[in-house]
Amino acid sequence: CNGEDAPSFDTQAGKDWLLSNLHDNDVIVTFTKTDGSERVMRCTLQESVLPVVETKSTKTRAKSEDSLSVWDLDANAWRSFRWDSVREIIFG
């Protein structure tokens, strides 16, 4: 699947496919940012990589159906992208 065009994420099956891969692997996602520029991000949702969440925190964000939050492995921070902006998926 390296360098393959991303499947359509307008279906739940497409979203579930990417989520499953993010939970198992590092994934390089190429997407178009809201300002129109292209961004390439190496990210994951592997529990062994994610930071420990403070349970005392009352600061939570509403979950969006239009975007996905992932752990950016290069920035060591949470980032997100819109499902409809994904251009390419590469398994790293």
Side-chain angles (χ1 to χ4, degrees), residues 2 7 9 13 15 21 25 31 35-36 40 42 44-45 49-50 52 54 57 60-61 68-69 82 89 91:
N2 281 349
F9 296 115
K15 292 176 184 178
N21 280 291
N25 306 291
F31 60 97
D35 67 5
V40 178
R42 191 170 64 96
T44 192
L45 288 174
V49 178
L50 300 180
V52 176
E54 290 288 332
S57 176
T60 58
R61 273 185 139 170
L68 177 64
S69 293
R82 291 183 53 84
I89 303 292
F91 300 100

Side-chain angles (χ1 to χ4, degrees), residues 16-66:
D16 289 345
W17 174 83
L18 181 54
L19 282 166
S20 174
N21 280 291
L22 282 162
H23 281 285
D24 294 336
N25 306 291
D26 295 357
V27 179
I28 299 169
V29 178
T30 302
F31 60 97
T32 305
K33 293 173 40 173
T34 54
D35 67 5
S37 63
E38 185 176 272
R39 168 98 151 82
V40 178
M41 178 171 54
R42 191 170 64 96
C43 55
T44 192
L45 288 174
Q46 295 176 77
E47 287 197 30
S48 62
V49 178
L50 300 180
V52 176
V53 177
E54 290 288 332
T55 55
K56 297 177 188 175
S57 176
T58 57
K59 191 171 122 181
T60 58
R61 273 185 139 170
K63 196 169 186 178
S64 170
E65 296 296 319
D66 297 328

